[in-house]
Amino acid sequence: MPAPDAPPRKLLLVVDAPSLLHRNHHARAHTGLVDRSGRPAWALHGMLRQIIEAIERFAPDAVIFGLDDRKASVREELYPAYKAGRAAKDEALVEQLDRAGTFLDALGLATLTPPGLEADDVSASGARWARDHDWNCVIITSDRDAFSHISEHTRVLRLINGGIDASPLLDPTRLVSMYGIAAEHYLDFAALRGDPSDNLPGVSGIGEKTAAVLLTQAGSMQTVWADIEYNEGRTLAATLDSWAVETGTRRMGATIVRKLAAPEARERYEFNIQMMSGRDDLDLGLTPDVPGTPGLLPLDLGRVNTVVGYLGVERTTTLAVRVLSTDPASVALR
């Protein structure tokens, strides 16, 4: 924790742009909004409105948008069935996904499309950047994988229906109260559970509830695997059975040990860890000591007026000028 007399930490807002674009495409396609060139713009407009809302709410000092590399995928090369089964994207959504980077760059916001990687990797790197620079960080996404980045420095605004104001802002305490799992165990939890949306099966017989109990009672999976390998899982089984007695539930220690001891269980877990782990060593290109560089607020008034104005929604242009081209709240505290 910062010292009582230390100045407030600056704030980095990290935005999972594809996540926002997908949600706004489905929520706003009925509007048929097009820009002044006649191109579909409803998803871009919806994303921008939500980001303006978030900036007004959190008053960040810098904003960076993570984008997916839509031409190559390291994870798909490793696992060709990655995300198989998802419905084909609507052409209008694809067009707006392709234009998102240039739209945000034109505004003066920072974007990063890491080669072969995804917006999730930018989120992971943003959380680490904030920790290394002693900033705070808020990640905006609908992807639960970001929960593993929650810490003293980083919170996650998980987008749900209802927009920014209706979405839960998760810190370490709220994550445990809502999902029953600590942030430092969330990646283990996700690897055990699997992720159907990415076509990643979980460990057979270990669902969400069992995974949460396992990690809460036994600690890290490193401890679990060590006990299974060197002690036939006796300590793990006893710990889980003791919890069952205390809570009045059915004993399941021996059953869980048997499922985890199956040869394919650890293989599946380790593969999911490899696929789900975000790269946290990307160069975000942020230069907070250089005023006016991409990603730092406020943005140039003329650019905001021109770029947002091209969407053809006057009230959004007015709002963007007011919010994006004025100093962040932290400036008043310096």
Side-chain angles (χ1 to χ4, degrees):
M1 296 291 291
D5 57 347
R9 290 180 183 142
K10 293 183 179 181
L11 177 65
L12 172 65
L13 198 65
V14 182
V15 183
D16 179 348
S19 178
L20 270 68
L21 287 164
H22 276 84
R23 295 186 70 85
N24 279 286
H25 169 70
H26 295 296
R28 296 173 178 264
H30 69 279
T31 67
L33 179 70
V34 296
D35 64 19
R36 290 181 177 171
S37 294
R39 298 174 300 180
W42 55 82
L44 288 169
H45 176 253
M47 175 185 69
L48 178 63
R49 290 286 304 201
Q50 289 190 319
I51 292 310
I52 293 171
E53 290 175 30
I55 289 173
E56 192 163 36
R57 173 176 172 182
F58 294 110
D61 296 270
V63 185
I64 187 166
F65 290 76
L67 296 160
D68 298 341
D69 184 347
R70 295 176 40 76
K71 297 179 180 178
S73 170
V74 169
R75 291 177 176 88
E76 193 170 335
E77 289 176 6
L78 180 65
Y79 177 45
Y82 182 56
K83 297 186 178 180
R86 291 191 180 186
K89 293 183 178 70
D90 184 85
E91 289 184 8
L93 171 59
V94 171
E95 183 181 344
Q96 291 174 87
L97 286 166
D98 288 339
R99 286 160 42 209
T102 54
F103 174 76
L104 295 166
D105 288 340
L107 271 173
L109 293 164
T111 65
L112 180 59
T113 307
L117 298 173
E118 305 173 6
D120 295 347
D121 300 291
V122 180
S123 296
S125 292
R128 180 175 175 179
W129 188 95
R131 183 193 69 204
D132 291 348
H133 290 78
D134 197 29
W135 282 40
N136 285 333
C137 176
V138 171
I139 298 171
I140 301 181
T141 182
S142 59
D143 192 336
R144 291 185 297 177
D145 288 349
F147 294 170
S148 64
H149 310 315
I150 291 173
S151 69
E152 176 201 342
H153 285 265
T154 297
R155 295 170 291 169
V156 172
L157 184 74
R158 196 202 174 198
L159 287 178
I160 59 174
N161 293 339
I164 296 292
D165 289 339
S167 298
L169 181 64
L170 302 178
D171 60 14
T173 300
R174 196 170 186 192
L175 178 66
V176 172
S177 67
M178 290 185 66
Y179 292 91
I181 195 75
E184 61 267 26
H185 295 152
Y186 193 83
L187 183 58
D188 282 342
F189 171 75
L192 290 168
R193 177 201 64 204
D195 188 346
S197 69
D198 287 342
N199 196 32
L200 291 170
V203 174
S204 180
I206 308 294
E208 284 199 7
K209 292 182 180 178
T210 301
V213 171
L214 172 64
L215 290 164
T216 301
Q217 298 303 311
S220 72
M221 286 304 296
Q222 184 178 1
T223 301
V224 169
W225 296 125
D227 188 57
I228 289 173
E229 183 172 354
Y230 296 108
N231 192 35
E232 298 181 345
R234 293 187 183 93
T235 301
L236 175 61
T239 299
L240 293 173
D241 285 345
S242 176
W243 172 85
V245 170
E246 291 175 6
T247 57
T249 57
R250 179 173 57 86
R251 293 190 180 195
M252 55 182 178
T255 300
I256 291 177
V257 167
R258 185 172 63 253
K259 290 175 179 176
L260 291 174
E264 64 275 10
R266 187 164 186 175
E267 181 180 346
R268 168 51 58 185
Y269 162 82
E270 291 179 345
F271 182 76
N272 283 352
I273 289 286
Q274 183 180 8
M275 295 292 292
M276 295 175 172
S277 296
R279 281 277 303 274
D280 68 355
D281 59 348
L282 301 176
D283 181 1
L284 301 184
L286 295 173
T287 52
D289 296 328
V290 183
T293 53
L296 301 188
L297 297 176
L299 303 181
D300 179 77
L301 172 61
R303 293 175 74 167
V304 172
N305 197 53
T306 299
V307 175
V308 179
Y310 202 73
L311 296 176
V313 183
E314 185 175 350
R315 64 182 181 279
T316 299
T317 303
T318 301
L319 179 63
V321 166
R322 178 174 65 80
V323 174
L324 301 181
S325 61
T326 55
D327 286 332
S330 63
V331 170
L333 302 174
R334 292 171 198 161

